[in-house]
Amino acid sequence: VLRRNASSSTDGAVFGLTNLLDCVVRKLEKTLLAFTFIAVAGFGIFAPVSAEAERLRAPATVQRFYEIRNGALAWTGSANAAAYRKLVDAIQAAQLHGLDPADYHLAELKNATPSKGDANLDRTATDAYLTLAAHLLSGRLDPVSIEPDWTAARRGRDLAAYLESSLGHGAIADSLEALAPTQRGYRDLRRALAQYREIAQRGGWPSIDGGATIRVGDSGPRVVQLRKRLAATGDLDDQGTYPDLFDEGLAEAVRRFQQRANLQPDGVVGAKTLAQLNKSIDERIAQIRANMERWRWLPDDLGQRHIRVNIADFRLEAHADGKVERTHEIIVGRLYRKTPIFSGTMTYLVLNPWWETPPNLAAKDKLPAFRKDPQSVKTLGFQVINRSGELVDPQTIDWNTVPATNFPYRIRQAPGPENALGDVKFMFPNRHNVYLHDTPTRGLFAQTRRDFSSGCVRVQNPLDLAAWVLSDTPDWADEKIHSVAAGNTETRVTLKTAIPVHILYWTVVSDDTTTVRFVDDIYQRDQALIAALDR
């Protein structure tokens, strides 16, 4: 708690106490290690870990599985040979999910002879099944180790009992497949993984030499490279009469690629487009694998009606009964104020909201603006409140003498055309103090890359989203929403039915035309996930 507070505090005492506690913790760790060594070496308190337990990845679940079976072997011996072969085949098929079959004892199982009853081999096979099952069910990695803010509920199951039931039905491969996510997004990624691996087997695609921007009318060897690159991914069917000429057909293929990469679809190959074109086939395959892992971190049921935000795609989707009913462009947090990844539950919305400016934003953003133009306090509709809770006339304040450290005022902005939250904010209480809201700077939605906020998610056409959110809330028809929003009175509306909200981060997403779209990894989160998957 102190460390978390210290990260946002300017109080020297907090920092000092945190450093002192860190020293104490290090001393305690050394002391505990010393006592542990004495206990193990001198008193034998801890039972030694067997070599087999160290080799197995899920020893506790393996043990419970055999307790369910009263110790009976499951994979070895002549009666179990068919199940053993099915298991080996299922492990090899793990690659279809972007997982590495070698992680599940594949080499040992393929080289062993299961016809004779072998307890050690049997336990290895069980460990392979249970580990693969766990990875398909809830991911190979703990999401919090990659995304510290992750709070979505993960899928769980009694896998020891599940395996026992699956063996009884002889459904080894099917039982493992049934544990993988069933949502369309995961299925599309799985198909894309197979497609891109097939492209890799054909040699991938050529890179395009660096140089000046390429556009319609240009010619030369770089245009030939561009044609071959776009043909490899199906963006270009016809190589044209003059392969070295950048014609309008090639420009249209470039626009298709740019749309899929969240780039400005201008048909011109500049530096940003060239960088995306030159992503290698191996990089794209790794990116698909990373996003499949993100899907495995999610629960089966995201909510019958739910809102799904993809930070990297600058896109919000309103889902109901398995279908996307609305989509909205969004603005997300800047690189130094990243929008966190988490799930929450929307319980109410506020029309014409006051904006209670967070203290850090008041000190970092508003104070410099007030120093530059003291009249902006009034023109932008701000109120200034002192620590006693009393309103202060801003014209009596010399903002140049107000310290940013230990900022002494509370700042809030009245409803109106300049209000930072616009006409509506959607509330799903969370520890990040992040929510969805309108914005007065609506012109920013015209940008392709939209990471301009201080962490919250700004929504285009938010009153249309409000109508969807309130569609089953009595007495809140579309006309009433717009009528109330046209005024200046803050109005809180409680939802009849709470709506799950998932703030997520995917850099490969479903696409109706080309199976998937690759979007820019704006927060540079893919590499850490890919590296962890490969370890």
Side-chain angles (χ1 to χ4, degrees):
V1 171
L2 278 163
R3 286 195 188 98
R4 185 165 66 245
N5 290 340
S7 68
S8 60
S9 173
T10 56
D11 189 339
V14 174
F15 283 114
L17 184 55
T18 303
N19 291 335
L20 175 61
L21 285 175
D22 280 339
C23 292
V24 172
V25 168
R26 284 194 290 271
K27 288 287 187 182
L28 283 171
E29 285 171 347
K30 291 179 180 178
T31 304
L32 286 170
L33 284 172
F35 274 114
T36 301
F37 175 79
I38 293 169
V40 172
F43 301 105
I45 292 175
F46 302 112
V49 177
S50 69
E52 182 197 37
E54 287 184 333
R55 184 174 57 81
L56 300 181
R57 292 185 167 88
T61 315
V62 169
Q63 180 62 31
R64 199 158 56 79
F65 169 73
Y66 285 102
E67 289 171 357
I68 292 172
R69 294 175 61 84
N70 294 318
L73 299 180
W75 309 100
T76 60
S78 57
N80 299 319
Y84 188 95
R85 288 193 298 270
K86 290 178 181 178
L87 175 63
V88 171
D89 290 342
I91 292 171
Q92 290 175 316
Q95 63 180 326
L96 302 177
H97 294 274
L99 298 170
D100 186 354
D103 286 340
Y104 311 104
H105 308 295
L106 179 62
E108 181 179 353
L109 294 175
K110 284 183 70 174
N111 295 328
T113 304
S115 56
K116 296 180 180 179
D118 184 332
N120 285 334
L121 179 60
D122 209 272
R123 293 172 74 85
T124 300
T126 297
D127 187 67
Y129 179 98
L130 292 173
T131 305
L132 177 54
H135 291 176
L136 289 170
L137 182 68
S138 55
R140 185 179 182 277
L141 305 170
D142 179 357
V144 178
S145 69
I146 305 296
E147 304 291 353
D149 296 317
W150 192 276
T151 56
R154 300 178 72 186
R155 297 185 297 156
R157 187 175 293 221
D158 183 345
L159 290 177
Y162 183 77
L163 172 54
E164 175 66 10
S165 174
S166 301
L167 282 167
H169 293 90
I172 304 305
D174 288 346
S175 66
L176 287 167
E177 286 293 324
L179 295 173
T182 59
Q183 290 98 333
R184 176 200 166 182
Y186 187 84
R187 296 197 307 269
D188 284 350
L189 288 178
R190 185 172 170 176
R191 282 195 294 270
L193 181 63
Q195 292 171 0
Y196 277 76
R197 281 177 169 164
E198 185 179 341
I199 294 172
Q201 289 176 349
R202 297 198 301 263
W205 51 66
S207 60
I208 301 165
D209 294 338
T213 297
I214 319 175
R215 50 172 50 89
V216 170
D218 290 343
S219 61
R222 294 177 72 216
V223 176
V224 176
Q225 293 170 345
L226 176 62
R227 286 184 178 276
K228 291 180 178 179
R229 166 64 184 84
L230 293 173
T233 46
D235 294 293
L236 182 67
D237 296 328
D238 183 6
Q239 289 298 317
T241 306
Y242 304 100
D244 64 345
L245 176 65
F246 197 133
D247 57 19
E248 185 54 42
L250 182 55
E252 183 58 34
V254 170
R255 281 191 282 271
R256 279 194 291 272
F257 176 86
Q258 289 170 325
Q259 287 177 327
R260 201 168 66 252
N262 267 24
L263 297 168
Q264 191 68 33
D266 55 11
V268 174
V269 181
K272 291 182 179 178
T273 299
L274 183 63
Q276 292 298 318
L277 287 165
N278 278 342
K279 293 278 188 180
S280 71
I281 184 67
D282 290 338
E283 287 178 284
R284 290 308 192 197
I285 288 172
Q287 197 174 355
I288 294 170
R289 291 175 53 232
N291 283 271
M292 293 178 79
E293 176 72 358
R294 289 179 174 127
W295 268 108
R296 290 189 287 263
W297 291 343
L298 290 173
D300 282 323
D301 184 10
L302 297 177
Q304 185 269 326
R305 292 182 82 234
H306 70 271
I307 289 173
R308 195 182 301 175
V309 170
N310 184 1
I311 297 168
D313 202 20
F314 309 111
R315 180 184 178 94
L316 178 151
E317 296 176 344
H319 288 250
D321 298 319
K323 297 179 181 178
V324 178
E325 293 194 336
R326 295 201 58 79
T327 62
H328 292 259
E329 303 296 315
I330 60 171
I331 293 169
V332 301
R334 301 178 181 94
L335 285 176
Y336 59 91
R337 291 180 182 168
K338 297 175 183 177
T339 300
I341 300 170
F342 68 101
S343 290
T345 302
M346 185 185 299
T347 53
Y348 69 98
L349 59 82
V350 181
L351 297 166
N352 300 317
W354 281 78
W355 182 40
E356 292 286 345
T357 311
N360 63 322
L361 294 185
K364 293 179 181 178
D365 292 356
K366 296 307 169 189
L367 180 57
F370 296 164
R371 286 173 175 171
K372 184 176 181 181
D373 179 13
Q375 294 303 314
S376 65
V377 181
K378 184 175 181 180
T379 58
L380 294 176
F382 281 97
Q383 289 185 349
V384 182
I385 302 168
N386 64 22
R387 287 172 175 165
S388 299
E390 301 167 330
L391 283 174
V392 179
D393 183 351
Q395 293 185 340
T396 65
I397 301 173
D398 181 359
W399 293 104
N400 290 310
T401 65
V402 174
T405 301
N406 201 18
F407 187 70
Y409 298 112
R410 187 174 124 227
I411 306 293
R412 67 175 190 161
Q413 190 180 29
E418 299 295 335
N419 185 280
L421 305 182
D423 291 335
V424 58
K425 65 177 180 178
F426 303 85
M427 299 302 294
F428 40 104
N430 59 84
R431 65 184 177 89
H432 311 289
N433 198 27
V434 164
Y435 41 87
L436 312 176
H437 64 82
D438 186 14
T439 175
T441 55
R442 292 165 185 153
L444 292 176
F445 287 107
Q447 301 292 323
T448 301
R449 175 167 174 154
R450 297 185 296 275
D451 49 336
F452 306 120
S453 86
S454 295
C456 284
V457 177
R458 305 176 193 172
V459 183
Q460 190 177 39
N461 303 321
L463 293 182
D464 294 338
L465 179 61
W468 183 87
V469 166
L470 297 175
S471 59
D472 67 346
T473 300
D475 302 323
W476 280 97
D478 189 46
E479 296 80 6
K480 183 176 180 180
I481 294 170
H482 282 79
S483 175
V484 173
N488 285 316
T489 303
E490 183 175 85
T491 305
R492 173 170 169 156
V493 185
T494 301
L495 277 58
K496 178 184 177 182
T497 306
I499 297 176
V501 179
H502 305 284
I503 312 292
L504 304 169
Y505 190 89
W506 280 309
T507 58
V508 189
V509 296
S510 295
D511 182 83
D512 292 333
T513 304
T514 58
T515 306
V516 296
R517 286 187 296 114
F518 294 91
V519 300
D520 193 20
D521 180 15
I522 60 169
Y523 291 165
Q524 300 299 303
R525 286 174 162 156
D526 280 351
Q527 282 308 311
L529 175 51
I530 291 166
L533 284 172
D534 288 342
R535 279 198 291 271

